[in-house]
Amino acid sequence: MATSDSIIIGVLVTNRVINKLMKGDHSMRGYDRLVQLSRAAKVANVTLYFFSAKNVFFSKAVKGMVMDEQGVWEKKLFPLPDVLYDRLATRDTKSLSEQIRREFDRKGIKKINSISYFNKGDVYTSLLKNEKVNKYLPESKWFSDEKELITFLKRHPKVYLKAARGGRGRSVLCIESIESNGYQYKYFRDDHLFTGEASDFHELFTFIQQFFKDRPFIMQKGINLLKIENSNIDFRAELQRNGEGNLGITGITARTGVKNSPITTHSSAYTLEQFFEKVLYYRPEEIYLIKDRFQTFLYDMYEAIEEIYGPFGEIGIDFGLDTNGDIWFIEPNAKSAKVSLYKAYDQETYFQAFLNPIEYAKFIMKSDPE
């Protein structure tokens, strides 16, 4: 059985990140997350390095980047990790990184999360079978043909089309019916909101084909989310297991989207308490009750996801509250960037979100019967 100070955690990232670190370029998006993880590893007394799939040699050793005490990045040769912390966004099943994931699985290398990404369609299809959580799911179906999409659009005044695999809201298309059998559509791309109209279904479907190309997508009933001045509100909860393997909620943030945007990925953020007290003017007893409802929903949903896919050290769960006060599940995230947590919470809470998965890695190694 490994001792805590001998545990090695490998953090899988893109080759671009490794190259930037080698050049001393700290301007990349998410650089602070690398620093926080490195600091958390020192606090937890474990070895942690960052690597890309190209840094693995003959499945025996890894050239990894590690931050020293002065904050300088060094490239060193390491053994294969005891635990993989997969932070790589790529989902190409034929990629080198996917080959490395499979090879690590064959070697029995443990993982903080059972899978590296979620397929939205599979998640909904599987969760629908769970009677404890299916009440939180908006109607969702795989797109199969034009006729089914026409029927879905007739049944719901607002519909979201979502690529089965996609992140940061780039592959989400919101469609609403307008007068004269026309449609309005919205999507967010490259930090900009795009809006267009189609005079009929044929024109709309031509655009949909261009938008998704050959990628599979789901059709989902639009939720009448809470709004503030035409800005959608949704919530991101960071759920994590700690060094004892116990599940907890590190933070819940309310996110206010760009005005008229169908998503809230690019948004301002509040802590749950701040939002309900300062924005919606809830009384303390009302905030207590809504927190209790949220917690029940989140723990049930996390456990339902684990029943499907296996154990997770952390999941970011997106959900909404409609104008009737009902809770709706939006999607899970296996690689939360913790941006909303950073915006809304204090530095101590933010740091804890990086320390928890490191401590959980120690727990799963300690629990290893070998």
Side-chain angles (χ1 to χ4, degrees):
M1 183 168 67
T3 58
S4 65
D5 58 355
S6 67
I7 291 173
I8 300 174
I9 301 173
V11 185
L12 180 60
V13 295
T14 65
N15 200 53
R16 177 178 171 273
V17 168
I18 298 300
N19 289 337
K20 291 262 189 183
L21 292 178
M22 289 177 63
K23 294 175 183 176
D25 184 353
H26 303 167
S27 64
M28 73 183 101
R29 186 202 302 267
Y31 176 75
D32 180 64
R33 295 194 288 274
L34 309 184
V35 174
Q36 296 293 336
L37 269 177
S38 298
R39 289 174 177 167
K42 287 180 172 58
V43 170
N45 195 28
V46 301
T47 298
L48 180 143
Y49 60 79
F50 297 87
F51 73 103
S52 74
K54 291 182 178 179
N55 301 135
V56 181
F57 298 96
F58 306 109
S59 302
K60 293 181 180 179
V62 179
K63 278 189 177 178
M65 297 298 297
V66 61
M67 189 178 76
D68 68 15
E69 297 292 338
Q70 285 72 46
V72 177
W73 292 94
E74 300 177 300
K75 195 167 192 177
K76 294 183 177 181
L77 192 64
F78 292 93
L80 293 180
D82 299 304
V83 181
L84 173 65
Y85 190 17
D86 194 334
R87 300 297 302 171
L88 187 63
T90 182
R91 294 143 193 192
D92 181 359
T93 57
K94 297 179 181 178
S95 66
L96 178 59
S97 56
E98 191 62 27
Q99 293 175 39
I100 295 298
R101 287 172 177 142
R102 289 194 292 267
E103 180 64 19
F104 278 19
D105 283 343
R106 282 193 290 270
K107 289 183 174 293
I109 293 173
K110 296 183 180 298
K111 298 182 287 189
I112 287 177
N113 283 346
S114 288
I115 59 172
S116 57
Y117 54 83
F118 291 105
N119 179 303
K120 293 182 179 69
D122 290 345
V123 167
Y124 274 88
T125 302
S126 301
L127 288 176
L128 275 173
K129 300 170 187 173
N130 188 312
E131 294 182 1
K132 205 170 186 179
V133 300
N134 59 16
K135 61 186 176 183
Y136 300 116
L137 305 178
E139 183 184 356
S140 307
K141 299 179 73 173
W142 282 106
F143 166 78
S144 57
D145 55 50
E146 295 177 55
K147 185 177 179 180
E148 193 169 40
L149 177 55
I150 292 171
T151 302
F152 205 81
L153 287 166
K154 285 180 178 178
R155 191 158 64 244
H156 305 297
K158 180 190 291 186
V159 169
Y160 280 80
L161 305 183
K162 300 179 178 181
R165 297 176 180 177
R168 303 186 66 242
R170 286 185 293 255
S171 303
V172 177
L173 185 64
C174 177
I175 302 170
E176 293 186 73
S177 299
I178 56 177
E179 295 178 358
S180 305
N181 297 317
Y183 303 91
Q184 182 185 72
Y185 55 84
K186 297 177 184 177
Y187 61 98
F188 218 94
R189 187 79 48 89
D190 300 325
D191 295 337
H192 293 287
L193 173 66
F194 294 89
T195 303
E197 290 188 4
S199 58
D200 55 30
F201 180 80
H202 176 75
E203 185 180 341
L204 173 68
F205 191 68
T206 299
F207 177 78
I208 290 171
Q209 288 177 305
Q210 294 170 349
F211 187 86
F212 289 105
K213 298 183 171 64
D214 294 325
R215 293 175 297 168
F217 60 90
I218 61 169
M219 310 176 295
Q220 190 172 89
K221 173 188 174 182
I223 306 164
N224 191 18
L225 291 173
L226 284 179
K227 289 180 184 287
I228 296 177
E229 297 178 351
N230 289 323
S231 295
N232 280 333
I233 306 296
D234 73 2
F235 301 89
R236 162 64 65 86
E238 301 290 350
L239 280 80
Q240 299 178 311
R241 294 193 180 277
N242 62 17
E244 285 75 47
N246 298 323
L247 181 61
I249 300 173
T250 306
I252 304 175
T253 54
R255 306 185 298 187
T256 307
V258 175
K259 195 171 184 178
N260 296 315
S261 173
I263 63 170
T264 61
T265 301
H266 309 268
S267 57
S268 56
Y270 307 84
T271 68
L272 180 70
E273 293 80 4
Q274 287 171 343
F275 178 73
F276 282 103
E277 179 185 353
K278 306 294 186 183
V279 180
L280 295 187
Y281 305 108
Y282 273 37
R283 298 190 302 274
E285 58 270 25
E286 292 176 308
I287 296 174
Y288 175 83
L289 290 173
I290 199 79
K291 282 179 67 176
D292 187 62
R293 290 180 59 214
F294 281 6
Q295 288 171 0
T296 298
F297 155 73
L298 290 167
Y299 284 124
D300 286 348
M301 188 59 70
Y302 196 103
E303 289 165 5
I305 291 170
E306 285 192 318
E307 285 178 18
I308 300 164
Y309 299 105
F312 281 79
E314 60 178 4
I315 305 176
I317 296 180
D318 294 343
F319 64 102
L321 195 66
D322 70 16
T323 51
N324 294 320
D326 293 324
I327 299 170
W328 295 97
F329 173 73
I330 297 176
E331 65 182 19
N333 298 268
K335 296 187 184 70
S336 172
K338 303 173 180 67
V339 173
S340 296
L341 196 76
Y342 173 78
K343 290 179 179 179
Y345 279 83
D346 58 87
Q347 188 63 34
E348 183 179 350
T349 303
Y350 181 60
F351 179 73
Q352 190 65 45
F354 295 90
L355 183 59
N356 280 338
I358 304 301
E359 293 288 359
Y360 177 69
K362 290 166 62 175
F363 167 78
I364 59 179
M365 288 302 298
K366 183 174 63 177
S367 304
D368 187 353
E370 297 178 6

